[in-house]
Amino acid sequence: MIRFVLMVNRQGQTRLSRYYTPVDLNRRAALEADVVRCCLNRKKDQCSFVEYQDFKLVYRQYAALYIVVGVSDGENELSIYELVHNFVEVLDKYFSRVIMFNLDRVHIILDEMIQNGHIVETNKNRILAPLSAIDKMADG
Amino acid sequence: MSDVVEKTLTALPSLLSLDSQPGSAKLSSTSKLGNLIRGITELTSKHEEEKLIQRELTSIKDQVSSPNTSMRQMKELMVRAIYCEMLGYEASFSYIHAIKLAQQGSVLDKRVGYLAVSLFLNESHELLLLLVNTVLKDLQSTNLIEVCMALTVVSQMFPKDMIPAILPLVEDKLNHPKEIIRRKAVLALYKFYLIAPNQVQHIHNKFRKALCDKDPGVMTASLHIYLQLIKENSEGYKDLTASFVTILKQVVGGKLPMDFNYHSVPAPWLQIQLLRILSLLGKNDQSTSEIMYEVLDESLRRAEMNHNITYAILYECVKCIYTIQPKSELLEKAAKCIGNFVLSPKINLKYLGLKALTYVVQQDPKLALQHQMTIIECLDHPDLIIKRETLELLFRITNGQNVTVIVEKMLDFLRISKDDYTTIDLVGKVAELAEKYAPDNEWFIETMNTVFSLGGDMMQPDIPNSFLKLLSEGFDSDEEDRKLRLFAVDSYVSLLQSEPNKLPQRFLQVISWVLGEYSHLSAELEPATVMTLLSKLLDLKHTSSETKSWVLMAMTKLCEGGVAISVAQDIYETHSSSMDTVLRQRAQELQHLSQDSELRGRVLPRDAGLMPLEVDSSLSFLDGFVSEALAAGAAPYKPPHQRQEELAQAKALSLEPYSLSLPISMSSCSIADRQSPTLMSMSSGLSGDSTDLSHKGGSTTLKLDGVKRVWGREGYLAQREPVEETAQVEVPSPLRSPSQQAEADSTQSQTPTPTVTPELEQDKQQLASSLFVGLGSQSSVCLMGKSDPTPQRFRRKAQGRASSSGASEKTPTSLGSTPSPVDNLLCNSLLDSNLVSEPTNQTPQASQSLDTTNGNCHEELTDVKENNPSLIHNNEEPDKPKDLCLSSHLPTELSGLSHSEITPLCSNQSVNLSACHVQKEDSLQLVIFIFNSSDSALQQMQLQVDSGELKLSLITDSPVEEVRSHSVAVCHYSVTVKRPSVHVEVLGMLSYQLPGGTPQTIQFSHKLPLTTFIRPLTLSTEEYGSMWLAFSQDTKQNLTLINDDQDPLTTTLNVLKKKLQLHVVEIIGVEGIVACQLVQDQPCLMHCRVHAGTLAVWLRSPVPDLPDCLLYHCQRALQEH
């Protein structure tokens, strides 16, 4: 099961966070800082999966942006690693420019892909269909 | 046609045809959010960030509450609020506006409103209720986008209690022509299943329809539900295996539309999901496994592309092949696959390979042999994660021959690891291995020393518990026991002599206990020396008071001889004035027992560990004390649940309808808790026969035989099963060093390893042979189920088997206050000596005098008796004649029926009130007897009865007003239940006048168990089905299954039937349905399913609280059985 998805920059600032298991608001910042520290400290040639507390972190780096996914122990890490890439490809397909100012849309896309900690859609067209429809309506 | 609908239609093509229409992302870098983000990015300190965000929040707050803010602006504000919360700054003022935005906004604004709600609120937030109407409206909207949004938010979060309001609408959407709506509806139902499975119980066939949907997306969504269902009960879905296999076959065969591909691999995550489902279905089931062999083979074959995602599928496939019933051909291919993983230069694949290997070596240890050189390389890998995973693998292949090497590697890792979770985990594993495979005493004690030192105070408390249990219980040979203990003592003494201040508290506690118990085994060790060593611990600054208490207890056992006594005296002087009451108590005991060696010998007998201790759990030795306190006017003890109940009743306005209700407290405490020892001792005090009673109590008395063995741990008990192998225990020679062992075994392990390259350095090969020794020989035959060829060294004695479970378990933390049975005994004897002057056995006269001085108290005591009919039974002898004569006064219509025992309610000089009841089909008949014991008639008598839970109606034609001297009047009531409660109570008051006297009143209360109101409800399965759906109140819980013969379900249900008069409607396989009613016409249905060794029951009724109450009585009935 997926516990959370984080997008952070190299400075450790959170760009997006989505939790699928309840975590108190006041504990999140500390958890995120710790998680990011765990991933940023690792070298390029090291494994993309990190043990963290009683679960695992799967992280992937895109230029200055890190995407970190917290998963429970039984999860297939490599499939999550590729899920991150799929997510990035979807973002790439939708956004022509900087995505970080479109927090709401990134969330909407993520909501189409992951719900309740489970992967619910991976087909890029289908992931984007609701958002594209919304955009169309807003334009027209 | 409305504007909105038109808009929808124009938007539809892209929605439905799913053409790729790249969205036109708004360039919002000039927006306020953009400014905020940029502002934050440029900041350098946390303090500045806080200031900036607070400013931002104030500005958002001002704007959201302004009436002029448009929805578009509101959306902008919400996104900023989301951003602030994401950084950890609460923006709770905006929650209500998020809901408003979802309600009133259009399209994107609405979506952002929903998004904000799902990010801001948790599932139990009360504001979520305000969203229900909006969702309801949107689900009915003609605008598909709005329907989509509503379904999306519903499948993320929805108030459980409101599901019925939208369920029909969501169900409807399953038939919607558009796939995206159907898909989202399935996901919403999945959410409902997760939060309230009973609500969607009736639409399981619709899940099947979704599984067969022509659209792959809808089918995929339904798999989430099936994975969950099959996890819970794989038996129920075996018939779907063929369908899952067909689906997987089509996916693997590339039958899905192209856009389901990810890097040319068809729907990889769907494949993974299907493989997970298949492995659950095929586990331990040969015929089901056979259905899937072909498709698994094809999956392995197709996934040959060199891409991460194909490896992810392969990993899942390998896991599946090793989970289901084995097929050698597939196992071979899977093993080859794992080889590719492990040998891959890509680190992520190597990791996954190790993980797969760890999973499969449990079935096939030979595989580890094939990859031993890779494993050794991984063991020295610079990446700790790889190293850690390798240790996990080695842990699984540990046996008696390689244990020393593997444990050494694990301890090495522990020494460099700084992560608490890893430490706790690894320490536990080392302890487990050490106990299972220890080659000799020295190694075992030394390894455990390292475990205790490294594990510190973080490790699981059962590690020291288990260790001490092992030491104290011993094994089959007394001589071995002595050697092990002696070695421990010697090792601890030398530890204390060197650097005790570096040892963690837990370890010090273990040391204290062992030295206290066993230091006498060492001939050259004077008790005084040990005492002095221990006393140094008391002076250390960091020693916790819990540890000090252990130290003092150990000293109490040791204080023998002149020097020791003087040390004890010193200790007493320093600690008798300690601020810590426990320490003061220990110091007192030390002082007291060091003076009186005869008492000490009795209280703390040597080697007490071997003798089972009888514990008087009814605390009957306190009876005298209790009755004295009661006589002095103290309030009688009430068990916590009763106090809670009364508290709930006392509360005039309960704002939390559920928080104090019984079932919650009930589930948290076991039945054994509820029948508190004090409750029993009170009734026993009255009967004047306490010791006898505690035995007669039978099931209610806690029998903790062999309480000495508080160090229980279930895990190891199973390991002792093959007792016949005892003869082999000593096989590994304790004197062999690992390297010698390695040489000796190298020939054996070299042969089956073709992968070994000759140029590998000598030491690696040596390491390999010592690591993988013992794997080669037996593994080739045994593919499934890891057989354990090396017998355990520390085989516990058989007597330990029953002790470690449940109630008798104690943790050392609790030992701080009531440390060890030895101490209980001590406290026991001290108290006894204080109470010598008190009569321990209450005579009947004494209890009667109690009655007259304190009428209330008597009532309480009778209540207590009422709760425990079995207790009264044995002690009611003196009342018998009266009982007989009273029963002759039963109303004629009841005379032929069997009635309950006649229990006294209350009495004074002139009247005695007692009651009994008769169960009739439609009601309970309550009869109250009024016996006039005075010499004159009672006049103007009036009996009033009332109850919050019951409806009582008088059956006797005219109320009795007068009772002649020494005669009996009878009041007869018909009783039904108004409001169910676990115990129902009748409160009554009798007023009367003696000739020439003043009016008098006497009050009583009479408790009736709810079970007396339960009647069987005879109905057919069909009727049951339709009633089930109509009932709204429900409760679920797991009950203990009675496991004494072939069919535990039938046995358990029969017990319930017998004890509670339930009607068993039908039993099919592992499920059974049961029905009953509470008089009058208050049905309750029960659905039982055997699951994982427990009985999962689910009760439904139209009457609030009834399911909970009935559940309580079921629990009790089974517990008493």
Side-chain angles (χ1 to χ4, degrees):
Chain A
M1 210 193 116
I2 298 171
R3 287 169 169 242
F4 56 77
V5 175
L6 287 183
M7 290 169 88
V8 283
N9 67 7
R10 214 194 282 272
Q11 287 76 48
Q13 287 165 327
T14 309
R15 290 301 186 209
L16 174 134
S17 70
R18 181 59 143 154
Y19 289 83
Y20 302 100
T21 46
V23 177
D24 271 354
L25 189 64
N26 47 28
R27 285 193 47 240
R28 289 183 187 181
L31 175 81
E32 284 161 22
D34 201 29
V35 161
V36 170
R37 195 181 43 77
C38 256
C39 300
L40 289 183
N41 281 343
R42 295 180 62 81
K43 296 185 204 81
K44 270 236 159 66
D45 61 343
Q46 287 187 315
C47 185
S48 313
F49 319 128
V50 193
E51 203 151 325
Y52 183 79
Q53 297 187 354
D54 53 343
F55 56 100
K56 297 238 167 84
L57 305 173
V58 176
Y59 68 94
R60 209 161 169 159
Q61 189 188 352
Y62 294 91
L65 188 73
Y66 281 81
I67 299 183
V68 188
V69 185
V71 295
S72 51
D73 204 30
E75 195 52 81
N76 179 334
E77 289 91 346
L78 200 57
S79 82
I80 299 295
Y81 184 71
E82 286 307 305
L83 180 78
V84 169
H85 192 66
N86 194 28
F87 177 50
V88 171
E89 284 180 348
V90 173
L91 294 179
D92 196 46
K93 183 169 175 174
Y94 181 81
F95 293 103
S96 41
R97 284 170 160 266
V98 210
I99 58 167
M100 74 180 189
F101 301 121
N102 289 288
L103 185 63
D104 47 345
R105 285 184 164 83
V106 178
H107 262 297
I108 293 170
I109 291 174
L110 190 60
D111 278 0
E112 290 298 320
M113 296 182 70
I114 304 173
Q115 273 177 7
N116 301 304
H118 299 293
I119 306 167
V120 294
E121 185 60 85
T122 52
N123 179 326
K124 295 190 182 69
N125 295 331
R126 292 188 171 202
I127 292 167
L128 289 176
L131 189 55
S132 314
I134 288 173
D135 286 335
K136 271 245 160 88
M137 260 184 85
D139 284 348
Chain B
M1 200 183 280
S2 79
D3 208 6
V4 180
V5 178
E6 260 186 62
K7 276 185 180 170
T8 318
L9 289 180
T10 46
L12 268 183
S14 73
L15 181 60
L16 303 173
S17 69
L18 298 166
D19 281 342
S20 78
Q21 291 273 348
S24 46
K26 301 278 172 298
L27 176 63
S28 31
S29 47
T30 53
S31 70
K32 285 186 176 153
L33 175 71
N35 290 335
L36 175 62
I37 296 175
R38 239 177 278 119
I40 298 269
T41 316
E42 283 157 13
L43 293 180
T44 45
S45 80
K46 187 79 190 162
H47 180 66
E48 284 174 333
E49 178 189 292
E50 203 173 316
K51 258 187 8 208
L52 182 70
I53 299 275
Q54 290 307 348
R55 218 167 38 232
E56 180 77 13
L57 283 174
T58 320
S59 128
I60 297 174
K61 198 170 184 173
D62 287 345
Q63 290 178 64
V64 285
S65 40
S66 149
N68 300 325
T69 310
S70 73
M71 281 300 142
R72 175 134 300 188
Q73 286 165 322
M74 191 66 99
K75 182 214 118 187
E76 182 70 37
L77 289 168
M78 277 309 129
V79 179
R80 277 156 62 196
I82 291 174
Y83 189 82
C84 293
E85 276 230 329
M86 190 185 75
L87 295 179
Y89 300 86
E90 195 184 285
S92 51
F93 63 85
S94 58
Y95 297 173
I96 187 73
H97 297 284
I99 290 178
K100 233 161 73 188
L101 184 62
Q103 214 163 57
Q104 297 164 4
S106 64
V107 219
L108 185 58
D109 307 336
K110 190 184 202 55
R111 181 66 185 87
V112 171
Y114 275 133
L115 170 71
V117 169
S118 77
L119 285 167
F120 287 152
L121 307 183
N122 59 32
E123 295 198 37
S124 50
H125 202 289
E126 50 189 2
L127 277 180
L128 212 51
L129 284 175
L130 296 178
L131 198 70
V132 174
N133 254 327
T134 313
V135 167
L136 207 58
K137 203 183 90 214
D138 285 341
L139 282 177
Q140 288 163 304
S141 164
T142 47
N143 184 334
L144 288 188
I145 297 173
E146 286 179 357
V147 179
C148 258
M149 289 176 193
L151 286 171
T152 305
V153 80
V154 163
S155 45
Q156 288 171 324
M157 58 192 339
F158 198 74
K160 191 167 143 186
D161 304 331
M162 297 308 288
I163 291 175
I166 61 161
L167 185 59
L169 283 173
V170 176
E171 267 185 74
D172 253 11
K173 302 288 182 241
L174 288 175
N175 299 319
H176 201 275
K178 303 297 172 240
E179 69 80 20
I180 187 164
I181 305 289
R182 294 204 300 278
R183 181 165 64 85
K184 287 189 177 280
V186 172
L187 290 174
L189 290 177
Y190 171 58
K191 180 68 182 178
F192 295 165
Y193 182 78
L194 287 180
I195 56 177
N198 49 319
Q199 308 270 19
V200 292
Q201 190 85 356
H202 60 289
I203 42 179
H204 278 196
N205 57 338
K206 294 197 176 162
F207 297 156
R208 288 197 181 220
K209 223 182 117 197
L211 180 66
C212 305
D213 198 285
K214 60 180 188 296
D215 183 86
V218 183
M219 181 273 296
T220 310
S222 78
L223 292 183
H224 292 289
I225 301 179
Y226 278 109
L227 184 64
Q228 193 67 30
L229 287 170
I230 292 169
K231 252 186 214 160
E232 285 161 18
N233 167 28
S234 66
E235 284 307 315
Y237 300 91
K238 299 275 185 187
D239 59 321
L240 287 176
T241 313
S243 314
F244 294 127
V245 166
T246 318
I247 295 170
L248 182 56
K249 215 175 269 176
Q250 291 181 20
V251 177
V252 173
K255 300 272 161 51
L256 290 184
M258 283 297 280
D259 62 351
F260 281 90
N261 288 3
Y262 172 76
H263 293 254
S264 324
V265 180
W269 292 276
L270 170 60
Q271 290 191 43
I272 289 171
Q273 183 89 338
L274 282 164
L275 287 166
R276 281 179 190 161
I277 291 178
L278 288 183
S279 57
L280 287 173
L281 286 169
K283 194 174 185 179
N284 300 327
D285 184 339
Q286 183 63 39
S287 59
T288 310
S289 297
E290 272 165 21
I291 308 176
M292 45 188 95
Y293 288 150
E294 192 195 327
V295 75
L296 290 176
D297 190 45
E298 189 166 345
S299 288
L300 282 181
R301 212 150 26 84
R302 292 263 183 174
E304 55 207 2
M305 227 188 48
N306 185 13
H307 189 278
N308 273 336
I309 196 67
T310 54
Y311 291 114
I313 298 172
L314 275 178
Y315 168 76
E316 214 65 43
C317 206
V318 166
K319 257 180 90 172
C320 180
I321 288 169
Y322 273 92
T323 309
I324 62 171
Q325 291 295 302
K327 189 184 183 210
S328 55
E329 203 182 309
L330 277 179
L331 290 175
E332 231 167 81
K333 286 185 188 170
K336 218 178 113 200
C337 238
I338 296 178
N340 292 340
F341 276 87
V342 181
L343 295 173
S344 165
K346 285 189 188 164
I347 185 118
N348 286 346
L349 289 190
K350 207 184 252 322
Y351 168 88
L352 212 62
L354 285 171
K355 207 176 153 183
L357 206 51
T358 309
Y359 185 79
V360 305
V361 285
Q362 294 168 84
Q363 273 88 33
D364 186 2
K366 187 182 60 172
L367 269 180
L369 270 181
Q370 279 176 18
H371 301 294
Q372 47 177 320
M373 282 306 145
T374 323
I375 293 174
I376 298 219
E377 270 159 27
C378 290
L379 207 49
D380 291 327
H381 203 281
D383 191 343
L384 282 187
I385 298 298
I386 298 287
K387 222 170 168 164
R388 177 83 177 75
E389 203 57 42
T390 315
L391 288 178
E392 195 68 36
L393 167 63
L394 291 177
F395 170 70
R396 306 291 170 103
I397 57 164
T398 309
N399 57 38
Q401 295 167 62
N402 60 16
V403 65
T404 48
V405 194
I406 290 180
V407 163
E408 194 46 49
K409 289 283 167 195
M410 289 169 100
L411 292 177
D412 283 349
F413 188 87
L414 267 174
R415 290 189 185 100
I416 54 167
S417 158
K418 286 177 198 74
D419 177 55
D420 291 354
Y421 282 83
T422 315
T423 307
I424 293 169
D425 182 61
L426 268 183
V427 152
K429 284 178 171 149
V430 171
E432 188 183 333
L433 293 179
E435 193 172 311
K436 253 194 205 167
Y437 302 114
D440 57 73
N441 290 336
E442 286 80 356
W443 184 87
F444 179 65
I445 296 293
E446 268 159 18
T447 305
M448 288 312 283
N449 286 353
T450 324
V451 163
F452 290 137
S453 309
L454 289 174
D457 296 317
M458 287 181 298
M459 68 183 156
Q460 300 289 341
D462 58 352
I463 297 175
N465 287 0
S466 181
F467 174 73
L468 291 186
K469 182 173 151 73
L470 201 107
L471 271 188
S472 66
E473 266 177 15
F475 326 104
D476 295 324
S477 144
D478 284 346
E479 183 50 29
E480 275 297 303
D481 293 350
R482 211 187 60 81
K483 276 190 194 155
L484 180 66
R485 288 170 189 159
L486 188 60
F487 193 84
V489 167
D490 289 343
S491 149
Y492 295 162
V493 165
S494 62
L495 272 176
L496 287 189
Q497 277 163 346
S498 54
E499 285 180 317
N501 52 336
K502 284 193 177 150
L503 303 175
Q505 302 298 310
R506 286 261 183 78
F507 194 15
L508 289 179
Q509 291 163 14
V510 168
I511 291 177
S512 315
W513 191 86
V514 171
L515 290 182
E517 275 307 300
Y518 301 118
S519 61
H520 65 86
L521 293 175
S522 171
E524 64 265 33
L525 206 57
E526 287 295 321
T529 323
V530 184
M531 287 279 278
T532 321
L533 278 176
L534 286 173
S535 72
K536 279 189 194 143
L537 294 180
L538 293 175
D539 301 333
L540 290 177
K541 219 180 249 159
H542 70 280
T543 310
S544 72
S545 59
E546 194 192 339
T547 309
K548 283 182 182 163
S549 153
W550 283 71
V551 171
L552 285 174
M553 275 153 51
M555 291 176 135
T556 312
K557 291 173 197 162
L558 291 169
C559 50
E560 206 173 341
V563 191
I565 291 174
S566 78
V567 175
Q569 193 61 35
D570 287 351
I571 298 293
Y572 167 69
E573 269 152 28
T574 24
H575 288 86
S576 58
S577 55
S578 164
M579 293 295 278
D580 189 318
T581 47
V582 178
L583 286 187
R584 221 154 58 210
Q585 161 91 5
R586 299 280 162 263
Q588 286 282 357
E589 286 164 11
L590 175 63
Q591 150 81 358
H592 201 81
L593 294 177
S594 66
Q595 305 297 329
D596 187 345
S597 62
E598 195 265 333
L599 178 63
R600 198 171 65 87
R602 209 152 49 83
V603 171
L604 298 166
R606 212 161 252 182
D607 284 329
L610 300 174
M611 290 184 281
L613 267 180
E614 278 283 338
V615 168
D616 179 6
S617 65
S618 71
L619 306 183
S620 59
F621 59 88
L622 284 172
D623 286 356
F625 179 74
V626 170
S627 48
E628 192 187 47
L630 286 173
Y637 174 78
K638 287 176 188 158
H641 72 277
Q642 196 185 340
R643 264 175 299 184
Q644 220 172 39
E645 252 176 293
E646 281 169 8
L647 196 72
Q649 279 162 9
K651 248 191 184 177
L653 227 177
S654 168
L655 292 171
E656 296 158 277
Y658 306 112
S659 64
L660 278 172
S661 82
L662 247 185
I664 295 171
S665 65
M666 206 159 44
S667 51
S668 61
C669 66
S670 71
I671 298 295
D673 288 340
R674 328 192 88 227
Q675 301 197 327
S676 78
T678 330
L679 186 133
M680 281 195 284
S681 68
M682 272 171 65
S683 46
S684 62
L686 192 82
S687 71
D689 192 7
S690 59
T691 39
D692 192 17
L693 202 121
S694 61
H695 289 295
K696 279 186 187 162
S699 62
T700 52
T701 314
L702 266 172
K703 274 258 167 60
L704 306 176
D705 46 350
V707 184
K708 187 73 200 200
R709 281 174 267 108
V710 287
W711 320 106
R713 178 147 119 178
E714 194 92 81
Y716 295 127
L717 296 177
Q719 300 285 348
R720 285 186 281 96
E721 287 313 316
V723 188
E724 316 82 60
E725 289 175 278
T726 338
Q728 299 171 17
V729 172
E730 302 305 327
V731 169
S733 154
L735 293 173
R736 261 178 167 187
S737 73
S739 56
Q740 283 172 314
Q741 210 172 334
E743 276 167 35
D745 292 307
S746 56
T747 39
Q748 184 193 359
S749 58
Q750 290 286 333
T751 26
T753 46
T755 46
V756 181
T757 33
E759 66 267 25
L760 273 172
E761 317 103 61
Q762 190 67 26
D763 54 341
K764 268 195 182 175
Q765 273 193 13
Q766 257 189 11
L767 179 59
S769 49
S770 53
L771 274 177
F772 299 98
V773 64
L775 290 179
S777 49
Q778 96 281 5
S779 58
S780 52
V781 206
C782 156
L783 285 178
M784 292 304 293
K786 183 184 177 185
S787 70
D788 216 339
T790 334
Q792 225 174 303
R793 173 179 178 81
F794 296 126
R795 195 184 306 279
R796 292 232 176 86
K797 283 185 179 169
Q799 56 157 1
R801 200 163 295 184
S803 70
S804 71
S805 63
S808 60
E809 223 165 299
K810 278 190 185 172
T811 58
T813 20
S814 71
L815 290 179
S817 46
T818 49
S820 97
V822 177
D823 240 65
N824 283 341
L825 215 135
L826 172 70
C827 153
N828 189 332
S829 79
L830 284 179
L831 272 167
D832 267 351
S833 60
N834 287 339
L835 290 171
V836 168
S837 56
E838 287 298 313
T840 21
N841 285 352
Q842 284 289 156
T843 57
Q845 286 92 328
S847 78
Q848 223 156 53
S849 70
L850 208 96
D851 291 343
T852 43
T853 50
N854 197 334
N856 268 335
C857 173
H858 180 85
E859 274 162 40
E860 284 293 341
L861 290 175
T862 48
D863 288 348
V864 169
K865 290 174 102 182
E866 176 61 36
N867 281 340
N868 273 314
S870 64
L871 289 180
I872 318 169
H873 207 75
N874 296 314
N875 300 292
E876 201 72 336
E877 297 307 329
D879 286 344
K880 259 293 179 293
K882 198 168 97 194
D883 189 334
L884 274 176
C885 82
L886 279 177
S887 59
S888 64
H889 289 277
L890 274 174
T892 41
E893 66 262 39
L894 300 179
S895 58
L897 304 166
S898 68
H899 63 88
S900 73
E901 251 171 303
I902 297 177
T903 34
L905 295 175
C906 61
S907 62
N908 60 17
Q909 305 88 331
S910 43
V911 284
N912 275 311
L913 290 183
S914 31
C916 74
H917 54 257
V918 173
Q919 294 191 21
K920 283 178 77 176
E921 202 174 312
D922 59 344
S923 65
L924 188 81
Q925 307 287 314
L926 178 70
V927 181
I928 297 176
F929 302 95
I930 308 165
F931 174 63
N932 180 356
S933 57
S934 72
D935 294 329
S936 42
L938 299 180
Q939 292 165 335
Q940 295 177 25
M941 203 175 66
Q942 223 182 345
L943 180 65
Q944 290 176 325
V945 288
D946 192 24
S947 166
E949 303 92 13
L950 301 173
K951 194 168 146 265
L952 295 118
S953 43
L954 189 64
I955 292 188
T956 332
D957 302 333
S958 57
V960 204
E961 286 176 344
E962 200 181 289
V963 188
R964 280 179 294 117
S965 169
H966 295 291
S967 64
V968 177
V970 171
C971 292
H972 178 192
Y973 297 90
S974 171
V975 190
T976 54
V977 179
K978 249 189 331 201
R979 193 169 56 78
S981 163
V982 170
H983 289 293
V984 290
E985 194 174 20
V986 177
L987 298 169
M989 188 176 76
L990 178 75
S991 55
Y992 61 91
Q993 210 169 350
L994 286 166
T998 48
Q1000 300 208 17
T1001 56
I1002 177 167
Q1003 298 184 351
F1004 63 88
S1005 72
H1006 182 42
K1007 278 198 180 174
L1008 292 161
L1010 191 73
T1011 41
T1012 54
F1013 295 94
I1014 299 174
R1015 303 285 178 274
L1017 177 63
T1018 321
L1019 37 70
S1020 69
T1021 309
E1022 288 70 38
E1023 287 167 325
Y1024 180 100
S1026 58
M1027 277 169 94
W1028 180 267
L1029 295 180
F1031 294 169
S1032 54
Q1033 305 290 332
D1034 71 35
T1035 298
K1036 281 183 158 187
Q1037 197 160 334
N1038 287 344
L1039 298 181
T1040 22
L1041 205 55
I1042 297 172
N1043 247 332
D1044 53 0
D1045 67 0
Q1046 300 294 326
D1047 186 356
L1049 178 62
T1050 316
T1051 322
T1052 312
L1053 291 186
N1054 280 339
V1055 169
L1056 291 178
K1057 184 181 171 183
K1058 208 176 90 210
K1059 292 206 171 175
L1060 301 177
Q1061 302 197 41
L1062 308 179
H1063 170 66
V1064 180
V1065 182
E1066 201 176 354
I1067 298 179
I1068 311 170
V1070 293
E1071 290 180 79
I1073 50 176
V1074 176
C1076 70
Q1077 60 175 330
L1078 209 57
V1079 287
Q1080 185 179 7
D1081 296 330
Q1082 303 188 32
C1084 185
L1085 305 179
M1086 185 158 112
H1087 174 262
C1088 314
R1089 186 160 64 85
V1090 180
H1091 178 65
T1094 60
L1095 186 70
V1097 294
W1098 183 2
L1099 294 127
R1100 271 197 178 187
S1101 167
V1103 187
D1105 297 340
L1106 179 53
D1108 291 328
C1109 297
L1110 194 67
L1111 184 68
Y1112 166 70
H1113 285 290
C1114 290
Q1115 235 169 11
R1116 235 181 113 118
L1118 294 177
Q1119 207 93 25
E1120 282 166 6
H1121 178 73

